[in-house]
Amino acid sequence: MNAPHILVLQNSPAAPAGIVGDALVDAGARLDTRLVLDGEALPAALDGYDGILVLGGPMGAHDDDRHPALADQAALIARAAAAGMPLLGICLGGQLMARAAGAPVGRAETPEIGFTRLELLPEAADDPLFASLGPPPAIMELHFDTFATPDGATRLLASADCANQAFRWGHAQYGLQFHPEVDAGIVTTWLEKFIGTPSPVIAGAVSAVPAQIERHMAEAEAYGRALARRWLDLALQPA
């Protein structure tokens, strides 16, 4: 059997596939990572891929003027979804999935920064991905924008400040707002970008994260690895 081939769309050098990528490789997958916003081309065709992982970044899902490749990614995602290809979008990646599905993406009423408790909604009770994972631990969030659940998709997770934390679009097609892929090093790199922020609210949230890493990172990493393995299992199953 050939190794599963996963296309990875990376939107920032500081936002790699992390432990999700590691778990996919450990499970036997081959990753084809494209640094899209650094000018690496998207594949002309999706033949030969078993799924697409779309990662996060600091830009908005509609920042086409500064990042024209975002529109190209949204078009690729829409084409992949129509063909029934498995998709896993994380933060900006989930927002790009929502954009591709025609759902609104815009500024969140309350930004989320730090490890956050997520609620499994009743619709997740029999979801092929989340039902098998059990209650999620506190997981890292860092977003100022958010998505609405697309028409025809199923909302699966929420948090106290963000109603849309995950949706299922189709078979093995999931958009996430939270960050299952991070490790302590990735999070620490992100926090450095907020040094000197004039916002006391953001500064306070950022200052709390190092202690949260100590309390929650091990559980969050285990959850992220399990999520990645389960998504790959679903990606290789017929719809």
Side-chain angles (χ1 to χ4, degrees):
M1 177 180 175
N2 293 330
H5 196 195
I6 304 299
L7 174 64
V8 181
L9 305 182
Q10 184 172 338
N11 288 295
S12 168
I19 63 170
V20 165
D22 292 344
L24 293 175
V25 171
D26 290 346
R30 292 184 297 124
L31 306 185
D32 176 8
T33 300
R34 308 288 180 103
L35 296 170
V36 185
L37 299 190
D38 286 349
E40 292 190 7
L42 295 171
L46 295 174
D47 298 344
Y49 292 107
D50 296 292
I52 304 176
L53 172 62
V54 191
L55 298 170
M59 62 291 299
H62 288 282
D63 284 352
D64 297 356
D65 289 345
R66 292 189 300 136
H67 304 287
L70 291 170
D72 297 332
Q73 285 186 72
L76 181 75
I77 291 167
R79 195 167 83 242
M85 177 164 287
L87 296 160
L88 182 61
I90 296 174
C91 199
L92 173 64
Q95 294 166 12
L96 286 169
M97 284 180 62
R99 172 183 173 175
V105 180
R107 214 63 171 167
E109 185 174 338
T110 303
E112 290 185 304
I113 301 173
F115 284 75
T116 301
R117 290 287 176 186
L118 305 180
E119 175 192 1
L120 284 172
L121 300 177
E123 293 79 5
D126 60 355
D127 178 73
L129 176 62
F130 286 103
S132 67
L133 299 177
I139 295 187
M140 182 64 189
E141 301 269 6
L142 181 53
H143 66 100
F144 297 86
D145 292 350
T146 189
F147 51 71
T149 296
D151 289 344
T154 302
R155 187 168 70 102
L156 299 168
L157 274 76
S159 67
D161 290 322
C162 182
N164 295 286
Q165 286 286 351
F167 64 85
R168 183 183 68 247
W169 192 4
H171 172 72
Q173 296 175 342
Y174 290 89
L176 314 179
Q177 187 59 76
F178 61 95
H179 283 282
E181 84 285 13
V182 296
D183 59 20
I186 293 172
V187 175
T188 300
T189 297
W190 292 353
L191 298 183
E192 291 170 354
K193 298 183 183 300
F194 291 97
I195 293 174
T197 177
S199 167
V201 174
I202 293 175
V206 167
S207 69
V209 175
Q212 294 170 1
I213 291 174
E214 292 296 321
R215 288 199 305 272
H216 302 303
M217 192 78 255
E219 277 190 301
E221 283 195 16
Y223 187 85
R225 291 180 187 278
L227 185 151
R229 290 192 298 268
R230 179 59 181 155
W231 175 73
L232 184 62
D233 288 343
L234 293 173
L236 299 179
Q237 296 175 9

